Amino acid sequence: MPSRLQPRALAKVGLDCVFAGAVVAITVAGGFGLQALLAVAPSASLFSCGVMYVAWRRGIAAAVAAIVMAILAFDYFFLPPLHSFAIRAHDVPQLVFFAAAALFVAYLCDSNRRINHARRRLELELRASHRRVAEAQRELQQTVDSIPAMLSVYRPDGIHSLVNRTWMDYTGLSLEEAARKGGTLFHPDDPERETWRQALASGRPMAAEAPIRGADGTFQWFSIRRAPLRDAGGRIQKWFSIGFNIEDRKIAEDALRDREARLAATERELRLTLDLIPTLAWRTAADGLAEYLNQRWLDYTGLSLEAARGWGWISVVHPDDRAQLHDRWQEMLASHKPGEIEARMRRLDGNYRWFLFRAEPHRGNGGEIVGWYGTNTDIEDRKRAEFELQRSRLYLAEAQKLSKTGSFAWDAAADRHQWSDETYQIAAIEPATVVTTDLLLQRIHPDDRLKMINELGRAKDGAEAWDYEIRMLMPDQSSKQLRVVAHRLHRGDEAGEIVGALMDITETRRAQEALNAARNALAHAGRIATLGEISATIAHEVNQPLAAIVANGQACLRFLDRPAPNLDDVRGAVEWIVKDGNRAAEVIRRVRGLMTKAEFERRQLGLESVVAEVVALIQNEIHSQGIVLRCDFGAAPPVMADHVQLQQVVLNLIVNAIEAMHQVVDRPRMLTISTSCDTAGRAIVAVEDSGIGVPDDPQALFDPFVSTKPNGLGMGLSICRSIIEEHGGRLWATANAGHPGATFRFTLASATELARAAE
Ligand code: ADP
């Protein structure tokens, strides 16, 4: 610092010396002037003036320099010896006095100068500080005004003494108006007024939230804080107040409160809904611990909400299902995906029922799982139904296996075949093979393929029912006889599905054939037996023409032994012989016809001729029994039947009728055989007798081995019925109405009806 100040100080000293020198020089000049003009010897006081001037202008240092220079100049120019610095002794006091006086005056002048200088500087500083204060006040006002809060200052009595721009802008009041009616800004009912009154009284700071009326008359919420400013003595000088507009926060808070209230109401409603919905429902936290179970759930299980919370609910799950349920639930929690599982749950009464547990994750706004919602649905009935279904499926499969019957469904439009296991088994096709119509046709016996194609084609023609037999080729080239029965199942859709069953009737067919053979043999035996019974009649039938032949032969011989034989007589006798021979041959032909084991052959024939042939054969028997025979042939249509079998039926019925009249002695023995046509166009044959009659329910007579005769086999009617039924007809017996005896009838479809049905 000194090194920096030195040049300035030196410069000042230099300047002071120059200034002092200049003034002294002027003073010297003045002295010469006075001397010249006024002839007055200049005095030391002239130089005092110079020193005073120097001291006034440049301070004490320059004044000292001026004093020294003035003494030297005064001595040199004006004190004798002139122009010499030598000082006479008696001048020394004058010069010392001058120096002391000049120094004193210089000191005074310098002091005065300093004081003036200091005053001037002070004045300047004061002015500057006034300016700064005004500036600071303006800045403060601006700052206070620009604060986005309502600032105000109160007198100790609570009257406004300052308000900022924000305050005025909001309230629309000036400071004067505020001082007059500041209190009216608050709502009359607002507790803030009371709080403010209490703060003023107690002198303690206050904080409140209150609505303040704005310039437009509406109220907005403010957070207000007020604190007192005290002087050193603790007396309140003023109150500072700041108010923040919290209207937005209040609105947000109100909205939040509103939303919370709505949320609470919604939750209440949700709970109520959950409690009322007719299912067991629950909610868990994100970690799977149960938080809430609805009233129905609690009512059902009898658990309290506290007991069921967390993992408590698992206590009502069937012990056998717990581990599985636990694992599955953990799996779902880990996968974050909805899922379901079935398990048994204990009811309040201790019974377990099957339930479907279904859970769905509930996600927050960020997509994270915040909990799970779930339901338990009672599926006991469905489970039972499933169990029953499974059982009946097993039964069905077993029944199908035992009965060798398979089932199938065929969606003709989509050509989709669905087969049961037994169907695959019957068809000898690997189960689970996808069956197509082509595959099916490949397995059909080549001779039946066309038939199969026709049957399949009927589906397209809209046929509703199927019943046909078909042969299927087995891998070992053997064939199976199948009977297919199906119908169309309509389930609302147009085409519907064809559902049916196929039966392996290979064995049945073989048994049927064996049965047919046995029955034919039995029928044959029956015919032989019947013929045996009427053998006497037959012998008589044959004997009669034979006796006539013998008699006519003998007559013929007699005619030829005459000397002149009459050839006309001989011819006549021979003609009789031929006629009788033919008659006997005819009887034998009929008997042979009945005795032959001819193959079953259907052809068109008239029932009258069948009846007539049988009657011709047994006519003698009828007459020998004293029976009155009546044949009443109506308009019976021709039928398609086996000639011999039909003869056997008629013969059997007539023989039975004859036998039924054996014991009848008290009334005429009447046998009426009639043919006619019923209302449906079928041919009817009725054999009516006046015998002992049949029981009220004559059905049992048709069972095999039912006989009332000592030597009877009881097979006749049984064979007759099976023959008629095989021809598509019906045989039955009725007691005669109003008179004794019974009538046996059978019907047969007319040949034309059969032909029409076959088309
Ligand atoms: P069978 O003649 O060997 O007894 P059938 O089957 O021909 O066997 O007859 C069974 C039974 O039906 C006879 O025993 C008889 O009791 C009864 N029956 C058959 N025809 C007649 C009829 N016309 N009147 C009364 N009973 C009859």
Side-chain angles (χ1 to χ4, degrees), residues 44-67:
S45 55
L46 182 67
F47 284 91
S48 294
C49 292
V51 169
M52 276 163 59
Y53 182 70
V54 170
W56 180 64
R57 293 295 301 207
R58 301 282 309 179
I60 194 70
V64 169
I67 289 168

Side-chain angles (χ1 to χ4, degrees), residues 56-331:
W56 180 64
R57 293 295 301 207
R58 301 282 309 179
I60 194 70
V64 169
I67 289 168
V68 171
M69 285 182 205
I71 289 171
L72 290 174
F74 187 64
D75 174 45
Y76 187 78
F77 290 109
F78 299 111
L79 284 181
L82 292 177
H83 304 296
S84 163
F85 288 108
I87 301 168
R88 292 171 302 180
H90 65 270
D91 288 334
V92 170
Q94 186 191 351
L95 287 177
V96 169
F97 179 75
F98 169 75
L103 206 60
F104 180 67
V105 168
Y107 171 73
L108 286 178
C109 286
D110 182 56
S111 295
N112 194 35
R113 189 184 74 95
R114 276 172 193 273
I115 288 165
N116 282 342
H117 200 74
R119 201 187 69 235
R120 236 186 352 265
R121 211 170 58 230
L122 275 175
E123 276 175 8
L124 282 175
E125 276 177 9
L126 196 65
R127 262 204 296 278
S129 111
H130 275 309
R131 264 202 316 276
R132 278 202 302 277
V133 168
E135 186 68 22
Q137 263 182 343
R138 207 173 49 253
E139 259 179 40
L140 181 67
Q141 188 64 43
Q142 271 177 359
T143 308
V144 165
D145 284 346
S146 59
I147 287 175
M150 298 222 301
L151 273 175
S152 49
V153 180
Y154 294 90
R155 296 199 318 236
D157 58 359
I159 301 295
H160 281 96
S161 61
L162 184 127
V163 289
N164 73 343
R165 173 61 45 201
T166 310
W167 195 99
M168 290 190 282
D169 287 348
Y170 176 73
T171 60
L173 300 179
S174 65
L175 177 61
E176 293 69 36
E177 288 167 329
R180 264 190 289 118
K181 49 183 182 180
T184 59
L185 291 173
F186 293 95
H187 199 276
D189 301 336
D190 199 88
E192 193 276 346
R193 290 157 75 97
E194 183 52 34
T195 316
W196 180 217
R197 253 193 299 278
Q198 284 172 8
L200 283 174
S202 66
R204 275 199 295 275
M206 63 156 276
E209 287 182 356
I212 298 177
R213 192 204 310 272
D216 59 359
T218 59
F219 283 87
Q220 288 196 9
W221 277 89
F222 279 80
S223 165
I224 302 162
R225 282 167 191 282
R226 291 187 180 131
L229 177 71
R230 295 173 189 273
D231 60 15
R235 276 188 306 278
I236 293 176
Q237 288 191 312
K238 49 179 87 167
W239 284 82
F240 287 103
S241 169
I242 188 159
F244 297 99
N245 190 325
I246 55 166
E247 183 68 14
D248 290 348
R249 198 192 84 197
K250 276 279 177 190
I251 289 172
E253 273 176 9
D254 284 351
L256 193 70
R257 247 196 314 277
D258 216 43
R259 216 170 52 227
E260 276 171 357
R262 274 208 309 275
L263 213 65
T266 310
E267 183 154 339
R268 262 198 318 278
E269 212 165 295
L270 189 70
R271 255 166 207 262
L272 201 67
T273 312
L274 277 178
D275 283 344
L276 287 178
I277 54 169
T279 189
L280 313 188
W282 42 266
R283 191 189 65 217
T284 76
D287 57 4
L289 293 179
E291 287 179 341
Y292 172 74
L293 300 103
N294 76 345
Q295 199 52 45
R296 257 170 214 276
W297 198 99
L298 301 172
D299 291 347
Y300 181 83
T301 58
L303 285 191
S304 69
L305 185 57
E306 286 66 40
R309 274 204 176 121
W311 276 100
W313 55 271
I314 209 160
S315 64
V316 295
V317 174
H318 195 285
D320 294 350
D321 300 342
R322 272 181 210 164
Q324 194 196 1
L325 179 62
H326 178 275
D327 293 352
R328 176 78 185 104
W329 180 218
Q330 295 292 1
E331 222 173 82

Side-chain angles (χ1 to χ4, degrees), residues 322-379:
R322 272 181 210 164
Q324 194 196 1
L325 179 62
H326 178 275
D327 293 352
R328 176 78 185 104
W329 180 218
Q330 295 292 1
E331 222 173 82
M332 275 160 60
L333 289 174
S335 73
H336 294 187
K337 287 202 182 101
E340 51 187 45
I341 184 174
E342 293 174 359
R344 281 161 291 177
M345 246 171 59
R346 195 180 57 227
R347 206 165 48 185
L348 180 63
D349 60 6
N351 284 330
Y352 282 95
R353 286 177 72 85
W354 277 98
F355 275 85
L356 176 69
F357 289 61
R358 190 177 277 149
E360 188 89 25
H362 174 51
R363 295 180 186 276
N365 291 338
E368 78 290 354
I369 291 182
V370 292
W372 291 75
Y373 279 92
T375 55
N376 295 1
T377 314
D378 188 332
I379 52 163

Side-chain angles (χ1 to χ4, degrees), residues 26 41 50 96 107 114 210 230 243 268 294 309 320 334 359 383 416 420 442 477 487 604 615 650 667 670 705 723 743:
I26 291 167
V96 169
Y107 171 73
R114 276 172 193 273
R230 295 173 189 273
R268 262 198 318 278
N294 76 345
R309 274 204 176 121
D320 294 350
K383 272 277 179 188
R416 199 169 43 236
S420 74
Q442 277 170 26
Q477 296 308 309
H487 72 147
Q604 187 167 324
V615 166
V650 175
R667 57 179 183 271
M670 299 286 297
F705 309 114
I723 288 173
T743 303

